[in-house]
Amino acid sequence: MDKTDETLKSTIERAKAGNQIAFSSLLDAFWNDVYGFQLIRTKNENDAEDITIQTFSRAFDKLDSYDPAYEFKTWLITISKNLHVDLIRKRKRNVLDGTDSRNNEAIKKVLDDAPTAEDQLITDQNLAKLLQNIKQLKPHYQKVINLRYFNELSYTDIAKELGEPVNNVKVKLLRAKKLLAEIIKSKR
């Protein structure tokens, strides 16, 4: 996605309307910015990736509160920074018991179930090749792909299985599909 003002504004508006392709475009366009920011702060790939997933989950959930007077990237980085600060506070208090009262909130629909280009590419692969490609993903991405496509679990069931909020599952699945599609395309 081109990050020009008009293109970005249009994509954000489509995402606000629930368009999955728009969400995917925003994720693709800004993933490296947020992940790179967190990697510098945390100096830990796993924490950086987790915080980046949470950042996009929170941003997509609160997209209606985005003020176009500010840069979208700055808004994302601010969310990311706040999530990192929260993580540090939680670790300092040793309250990481895996429960989160916000998990019980009603989850806004972030992504629709319409198949994306990545879904179609994944479906077109034969099973053996697909399984080989999935094994190249990080284990947490492998798990979410397997739960969704092989166990055919809903987002809610995957969230329960992983002990994560539904929006995190949606973002993690979106990212896993992107990475898997890149692996598949690179082998063609």
Side-chain angles (χ1 to χ4, degrees), residues 77 108 111 117 155 169 179:
I77 296 293
K108 291 183 181 178
L111 305 172
Y155 291 128
V169 169
L179 294 171

Side-chain angles (χ1 to χ4, degrees), residues 64-123:
D64 287 332
S65 69
Y66 167 67
D67 182 354
Y70 300 98
E71 292 267 341
F72 188 73
K73 177 180 168 182
T74 304
W75 185 67
L76 285 172
I77 296 293
T78 302
I79 292 170
S80 185
K81 182 182 72 149
N82 291 338
L83 286 168
H84 182 239
V85 169
D86 290 347
L87 177 67
I88 291 170
R89 284 183 188 146
K90 284 180 184 176
R91 285 184 177 167
K92 283 184 179 177
R93 283 185 266 147
N94 291 325
V95 185
L96 287 178
D97 62 351
T99 59
D100 188 349
S101 63
R102 290 173 294 177
N103 288 353
N104 298 327
E105 293 178 9
I107 303 293
K108 291 183 181 178
K109 186 172 184 180
V110 173
L111 305 172
D112 64 28
D113 289 327
T116 63
E118 292 81 17
D119 288 327
Q120 190 58 46
L121 191 60
I122 291 167
T123 304

Side-chain angles (χ1 to χ4, degrees), residues 6-159:
E6 288 307 310
T7 305
L8 182 58
K9 284 180 185 176
S10 168
T11 304
I12 291 169
E13 287 307 312
R14 290 193 332 269
K16 284 182 179 180
N19 181 305
Q20 182 178 0
I21 294 169
F23 283 117
S24 182
S25 294
L26 291 172
L27 184 74
D28 286 348
F30 294 99
W31 176 272
N32 289 339
D33 296 326
V34 176
Y35 178 75
F37 172 77
Q38 280 304 329
L39 194 56
I40 291 168
R41 286 178 68 98
T42 64
K43 295 177 180 34
N44 179 308
E45 287 182 14
N46 292 329
D47 284 347
E49 193 163 32
D50 287 346
I51 294 170
T52 302
I53 288 169
Q54 290 174 23
T55 299
F56 282 97
S57 174
R58 175 98 30 102
F60 291 164
D61 191 39
K62 306 289 185 193
L63 198 54
D64 287 332
S65 69
Y66 167 67
D67 182 354
Y70 300 98
E71 292 267 341
F72 188 73
K73 177 180 168 182
T74 304
W75 185 67
L76 285 172
I77 296 293
T78 302
I79 292 170
S80 185
K81 182 182 72 149
N82 291 338
L83 286 168
H84 182 239
V85 169
D86 290 347
L87 177 67
I88 291 170
R89 284 183 188 146
K90 284 180 184 176
R91 285 184 177 167
K92 283 184 179 177
R93 283 185 266 147
N94 291 325
V95 185
L96 287 178
D97 62 351
T99 59
D100 188 349
S101 63
R102 290 173 294 177
N103 288 353
N104 298 327
E105 293 178 9
I107 303 293
K108 291 183 181 178
K109 186 172 184 180
V110 173
L111 305 172
D112 64 28
D113 289 327
T116 63
E118 292 81 17
D119 288 327
Q120 190 58 46
L121 191 60
I122 291 167
T123 304
D124 290 345
Q125 293 293 303
N126 79 35
L127 188 57
K129 285 183 184 176
L130 182 60
L131 291 173
Q132 287 176 334
N133 292 334
I134 289 172
K135 286 182 182 179
Q136 293 180 37
L137 295 172
K138 290 184 178 179
H140 61 278
Y141 288 141
Q142 288 179 30
K143 186 166 188 163
V144 76
I145 288 279
N146 285 328
L147 290 172
R148 180 69 175 165
Y149 293 103
F150 294 104
N151 296 352
E152 298 180 352
L153 296 181
S154 68
Y155 291 128
T156 306
D157 292 338
I158 295 171

